[in-house]
Amino acid sequence: MSTTGQIIRCKAAVAWEAGKPLVMEEVEVAPPQKHEVRIKILFTSLCHTDVYFWEAKGQTPLFPRIFGHEAGGIVESVGEGVTDLHPGDHVLPIFTGECGDCPHCHSEESNMCDLLRINTERGGMIHDGESRFSINGKPIHHFLGTSTFSEYTVVHSGQVAKINPDAPLDKVCIVSCGLSTGLGATLNVAKPKKGQSVAIFGLGAVGLAAAEGARIAGASRIIGVDLNSQRFDQAKEFGVTEFVNPRDHDKPVQQVIAEMTNGGVDRSVECTGSVQAMIQAFECVHDGWGVAVLVGVPSKDDAFKTHPMNFLNERTLKGTFFGNYKPKTDIPGVVEKYMNKELELEKFITHTVPFSEINKGFDYMLKGESIRCIITMGA
Ligand code: NAD
Ligand code: ZN
């Protein structure tokens, strides 16, 4: 391509300050260095993690920064040593990576790569610590190694999943993060058998994706638990069959669920981030075989407390990061599930905005109106 090896000037939505609207700027994007690829982003979507770090409450603020980590695009050029990706490949950049060479990448059981595991504090590229983005020579920080709120971005090749070029990028871009987290928590970790019951705690995007996993696995009952009853109507479209709002009951939700299910659910998936919900999700599974999976990110000082007898009675507690998917190896397969109509993505996409109106996407998320808002880069 004519741009190979050149600086590309393009539009990016830059966060100059915590909590302040993003500003459309012309940025310079340097060519990819060793083990990096430069990607033309076509669609990106907005996830809570972008909003948390943009608000920068409780995190080390790092500004100016280009956020964004759920996206789909096309490889424009590749840096030295990149052999598995080529210009023109359709790809999803992923916030966590797979170097292919560490004990985690060699293990079938782990996706927590030593080199490319999520790092929210890093503002530059691993290769040299520098940023590939600048405005008039002033560097702009990266976010999660992806920074997809830019028409072009540079990403480590270990964080790039090459997907079926026939897959519509305006839909499959959401597979990059929240969707795979919830889906994988159910399909890869909770692993319900056909006909089993599954409780999902928290019916946000991640919980709804976990419910989608339960639907795909053929669960007979999917019990949604949320403190916000407004989530229930929407969740019906995701195959959730029954609802429990802990606030409607004066007994513990574990007991409510045990009574509904003749002793407990077969599987539960916690997608709230509340430690109370984590304990409830564990204690509501059936003894003898029940498995609970934690997905939500707890607060710093939280502690999980339960009686050890709950384990002796043969309940299992697990946790998962990114649904146990290895980004490069497994994510193309999730896209295939959509292509062969096993996985439904359309119902997650509630809003679409042109790139110039990206701040509207933040408003929808802050008001809790959207599950996923797709941002169209060319528009
Ligand atoms: P969200 O805020 O959209 O949804 C969370 C839902 O949980 C809300 O509807 C809320 O009402 C409900 N809730 C909160 N406390 C509850 C309680 N005690 N009992 C029942 N319901 C309760 O969030 P999301 O984007 O769907 O993300 C869910 C969680 O997953 C977050 O903690 C997020 O940080 C985490 N997450 C984890 C991973 C991972 O790899 N483990 C990846 C992405 C997100
Ligand atoms: Zn690795």
Side-chain angles (χ1 to χ4, degrees):
M1 285 199 191
S2 60
T3 45
T4 304
Q6 314 278 316
I7 286 172
I8 291 180
R9 284 172 206 282
C10 68
K11 273 191 283 175
V14 177
W16 289 99
E17 275 181 77
K20 294 276 161 64
L22 308 185
V23 183
M24 279 298 164
E25 304 280 3
E26 186 176 89
V27 297
E28 291 166 356
V29 186
Q33 303 297 307
K34 199 171 178 186
H35 300 312
E36 296 172 359
V37 296
R38 191 161 56 184
I39 302 170
K40 179 176 183 161
I41 299 294
L42 298 184
F43 298 95
T44 183
S45 49
L46 192 56
C47 167
H48 265 137
T49 311
D50 297 306
V51 176
Y52 292 143
F53 282 86
W54 165 72
E55 289 179 324
K57 292 176 188 157
Q59 290 105 17
T60 323
L62 197 57
F63 293 94
R65 204 170 199 186
I66 298 175
F67 288 104
H69 64 286
E70 271 192 16
I74 296 177
V75 173
E76 173 268 340
S77 62
V78 305
E80 187 192 328
V82 177
T83 53
D84 64 328
L85 294 160
H86 304 279
D89 284 348
H90 287 220
V91 293
L92 305 183
I94 316 269
F95 65 92
T96 187
E98 187 179 349
C99 74
D101 211 24
C102 72
H104 289 276
C105 289
H106 285 305
S107 161
E108 274 182 18
E109 294 176 316
S110 173
N111 64 347
M112 306 215 25
C113 173
D114 278 336
L115 181 69
L116 298 169
R117 185 186 304 186
I118 185 172
N119 182 330
T120 57
E121 309 262 306
R122 192 188 297 128
M125 298 303 288
I126 284 184
H127 175 57
D128 54 9
E130 304 280 319
S131 173
R132 304 286 173 262
F133 296 109
S134 58
I135 297 179
N136 299 326
K138 181 178 163 42
I140 310 291
H141 295 293
H142 291 248
F143 177 61
L144 303 183
T146 52
S147 292
T148 59
F149 297 162
S150 174
E151 290 174 322
Y152 285 86
T153 188
V154 176
V155 181
H156 192 287
S157 64
Q159 288 181 245
V160 179
K162 179 174 165 175
I163 61 160
N164 183 341
D166 294 332
L169 290 170
D170 61 337
K171 307 287 187 303
V172 299
C173 62
I174 67 169
V175 168
S176 272
C177 171
L179 180 112
S180 298
T181 296
L183 186 77
T186 304
L187 291 180
N188 300 335
V189 190
K191 296 186 181 164
K193 298 188 178 80
K194 200 168 166 41
Q196 285 193 323
S197 57
V198 180
I200 309 284
F201 285 71
L203 299 171
V206 175
L208 293 174
E212 177 67 359
R215 186 191 68 77
I216 292 172
S220 58
R221 298 174 70 182
I222 306 176
I223 302 172
V225 183
D226 203 299
L227 296 173
N228 176 1
S229 297
Q230 286 175 348
R231 298 263 179 182
F232 294 167
D233 267 347
Q234 198 169 41
K236 281 186 194 147
E237 290 170 38
F238 291 78
V240 178
T241 53
E242 292 144 88
F243 297 97
V244 177
N245 186 335
R247 291 195 172 126
D248 294 343
H249 300 270
D250 43 23
K251 49 190 159 191
V253 69
Q254 298 87 314
Q255 200 181 326
V256 175
I257 292 176
E259 287 169 9
M260 287 166 72
T261 53
N262 203 14
V265 281
D266 300 308
R267 301 289 185 265
S268 74
V269 185
E270 176 281 329
C271 310
T272 66
S274 147
V275 72
Q276 284 78 24
M278 295 178 190
I279 295 165
Q280 292 161 354
F282 174 57
E283 293 181 352
C284 79
V285 299
H286 206 288
D287 56 3
W289 59 78
V291 179
V293 177
L294 308 187
V295 178
V297 178
S299 305
K300 199 163 84 358
D301 300 323
D302 280 338
F304 186 101
K305 185 168 179 283
T306 191
H307 198 280
M309 211 57 207
N310 289 322
F311 292 97
L312 270 58
N313 288 341
E314 302 184 354
R315 294 180 182 89
T316 302
L317 178 64
K318 296 181 171 190
T320 176
F321 168 65
F322 193 45
N324 270 41
Y325 286 118
K326 286 187 193 285
K328 285 176 86 81
T329 306
D330 300 330
I331 290 304
V334 179
V335 169
E336 287 314 303
K337 273 192 202 300
Y338 169 73
M339 294 303 280
N340 63 33
K341 300 195 165 33
E342 206 185 324
L343 167 66
E344 295 170 8
L345 293 180
E346 285 80 359
K347 60 194 178 188
F348 288 89
I349 300 169
T350 51
H351 297 74
T352 306
V353 297
F355 190 32
S356 55
E357 293 177 21
I358 187 169
N359 288 305
K360 273 195 189 166
F362 277 70
D363 291 342
Y364 296 138
M365 180 142 274
L366 288 169
K367 287 190 201 142
E369 290 175 7
S370 57
I371 304 176
R372 277 297 179 264
C373 176
I374 306 289
I375 297 151
T376 306
M377 298 311 280

